[in-house]
Amino acid sequence: MPFAPLASVKQRVQIGQPLPFGVRDADGTLLLARGHVVDNQPQLEALFARGALVDLTELLDAQTLARQAPREQLPRLWGEAIRRLGTALESGTSASFAAALDDAGGPVAALVARDPDLAIFHVLRQSGNDDVAYGVKRSLQTAITTLLVARRLGWEDDDSTRGFKVALTMNLSMLELQGQLARQAAPPTPRQREELQTHPMRSLRLLERASVADGLWLKAVLQHHESEDGRGYPSGNSDVSDLASLVRRADVYTSKLSARSSREALAADIAGRQMFMQDPGHPMTAALVKEFGIYPPGCHVRLDSGELAVVVARGGSITTPMVACLTDPIGRPLPRPERVDTATRGRRVVSVVGERSVARPLPLDKLMATIAG
């Protein structure tokens, strides 16, 4: 663990503000945890005098850390990055919203680039327990998917990043409503239908109020439910920007993968097949389905051997992913997951297994470690 003297980064310590890193004694023992508040200058000077240290890895900005951290740290970094981004989305659209979104969104985008398989895992496996959290989860799913597909399409970095931000902010005005609709069995009420119909304009106004001035970003938020055939809303406009067009397709696809009280989540292979049938021949849809494949990381599958497994990485073809077996052929849980290439004879994937059909699913943290291992 590399260290640097606290005195060498004293400009990053502010009296009365949470520490941005942990402070350690000369022998490496933790003295003050990250987030601790140094109350006065004499306390700070005392730390300098005793030769206090900081861990160099904590001095890296979150994006650099996402790019350079050892692979086994990626699940933890994903968790931290998603929490920060969720907090930014939930905190409202103040004048500093755009900067906060950049600060929180950058590490997620860096993690997507670092490991696309782990990014796809998060599209399939995010959790949200309350109404706002469900809406944030859906925005994150769509944003990650948009970024992955934009890069597969060869978009410039600026446009890919802009699409990521559009997806994150398109539903700012209805995050709580999304959760309410997901857990109610009845159809939307007239009031809810009105909120759904007007949310693109209301999200646009929130962003303008937050001093977002990027016209392409704002236009795509307004158009993210419009369709090239003129059957979308709120205006039935058929002249739709590429940004809005991609975000809409990512939103439709990830919606199919999300469970609601009125229906279970679709299996990934079925969701992909439906996208092709509903939007045949469109290059954005083709790129989306190719990026995720029919057995994307995070989905459970049954092998022809009878083993239950979870997909951990895309393989040499769309039908031969890398998996981690969770059970033996007769269904007994393995003491630890066994990584298998399904191109191997006798270990081919025969079906996707729905989450509710998995008798003893791994806890989310262990599943993430399996994916990143």
Side-chain angles (χ1 to χ4, degrees):
M1 185 181 295
F3 294 112
L6 175 64
S8 68
V9 291
K10 60 183 178 182
Q11 73 280 1
R12 296 186 59 180
V13 181
Q14 299 183 37
I15 303 300
Q17 297 296 318
L19 285 168
F21 38 66
V23 175
R24 297 177 179 273
D25 210 345
D27 63 359
T29 303
L30 184 65
L31 293 174
L32 302 174
R34 182 169 55 182
H36 181 90
V37 175
V38 177
D39 294 319
N40 51 65
Q41 189 66 32
Q43 184 183 2
L44 183 58
E45 294 296 338
L47 291 170
F48 294 154
R50 71 186 292 170
L53 304 171
V54 294
D55 182 350
L56 282 174
T57 59
E58 293 190 65
L59 299 179
L60 298 175
D61 66 83
Q63 292 189 54
T64 302
L65 190 58
R67 290 189 289 266
Q68 297 181 3
R71 185 169 170 76
E72 62 270 15
Q73 292 184 15
L74 293 183
R76 176 182 61 80
L77 294 177
W78 265 103
E80 292 174 357
I82 285 177
R83 282 191 292 273
R84 287 183 62 206
L85 188 50
T87 298
L89 290 174
E90 292 176 5
S91 63
T93 49
S94 66
S96 61
F97 175 75
L101 192 68
D102 280 339
D103 185 52
V108 174
L111 287 165
V112 172
R114 167 77 184 271
D115 192 329
D117 286 327
L118 197 52
I120 291 173
F121 163 84
H122 277 284
V123 172
L124 268 69
R125 292 292 167 196
Q126 285 181 44
S127 59
N129 298 320
D130 57 45
D131 289 343
V132 174
Y134 178 87
V136 169
K137 165 193 148 180
R138 287 287 298 110
S139 296
L140 286 167
Q141 287 177 313
T142 305
I144 292 170
T145 301
T146 298
L147 189 55
L148 286 166
V149 179
R151 289 175 173 170
R152 177 172 283 273
L153 288 167
W155 284 17
E156 297 291 337
D157 287 345
D158 285 350
D159 288 332
S160 298
T161 300
R162 187 177 283 115
F164 181 69
K165 292 179 180 178
V166 171
L168 286 173
T169 57
M170 62 185 180
N171 294 328
L172 276 178
S173 62
M174 55 170 278
L175 294 177
E176 185 174 353
L177 176 61
Q178 282 183 286
Q180 293 171 359
L181 293 173
R183 62 179 172 80
Q184 75 182 43
T189 66
R191 175 63 180 273
Q192 288 172 330
R193 288 186 185 280
E194 181 183 357
E195 289 187 49
L196 285 170
Q197 192 73 20
T198 60
H199 83 268
M201 294 90 81
R202 291 186 291 112
S203 294
L204 171 65
R205 287 196 293 271
L206 286 174
L207 290 171
E208 289 176 331
R209 221 173 289 158
S211 301
V212 172
D214 184 333
L216 296 176
W217 176 356
L218 296 172
K219 179 181 179 182
V221 166
L222 181 62
Q223 292 186 339
H224 74 274
H225 280 297
E226 302 286 6
S227 176
E228 294 89 341
D229 61 10
R231 296 180 182 179
Y233 69 90
S235 66
N237 184 5
S238 60
D239 183 16
V240 185
S241 73
D242 284 346
L243 278 170
S245 186
L246 178 55
V247 168
R248 178 176 63 82
R249 287 174 169 85
D251 188 29
V252 170
Y253 177 69
T254 54
S255 177
K256 295 177 185 294
L257 300 176
S258 298
R260 302 175 185 174
S261 61
S262 58
R263 64 164 174 80
E264 291 189 30
L266 286 182
D269 56 342
I270 296 175
R273 193 177 308 127
Q274 286 188 2
M275 289 295 293
F276 263 131
M277 293 174 63
Q278 294 167 2
D279 195 23
H282 197 285
M284 289 183 182
T285 298
L288 189 157
V289 176
K290 189 171 183 180
E291 180 69 19
F292 278 72
I294 56 176
Y295 306 127
C299 75
H300 288 90
V301 293
R302 184 76 63 186
L303 307 188
D304 57 7
S305 61
E307 294 160 294
L308 174 69
V310 62
V311 178
V312 298
R314 294 163 295 180
S317 74
I318 62 171
T319 60
T320 57
M322 294 293 298
V323 304
C325 291
L326 305 177
T327 73
D328 66 13
I330 62 174
R332 293 175 301 194
L334 298 176
R336 63 180 58 84
E338 176 193 351
R339 290 176 75 94
V340 170
D341 184 348
T342 60
T344 305
R345 185 178 181 85
R347 311 295 278 279
R348 303 294 176 92
V349 175
V350 294
S351 65
V352 175
V353 179
E355 181 72 12
R356 293 187 181 181
S357 300
V358 179
R360 297 176 60 186
L362 280 179
L364 187 61
D365 57 343
K366 291 186 178 180
L367 188 57
M368 285 177 62
T370 298
I371 298 284

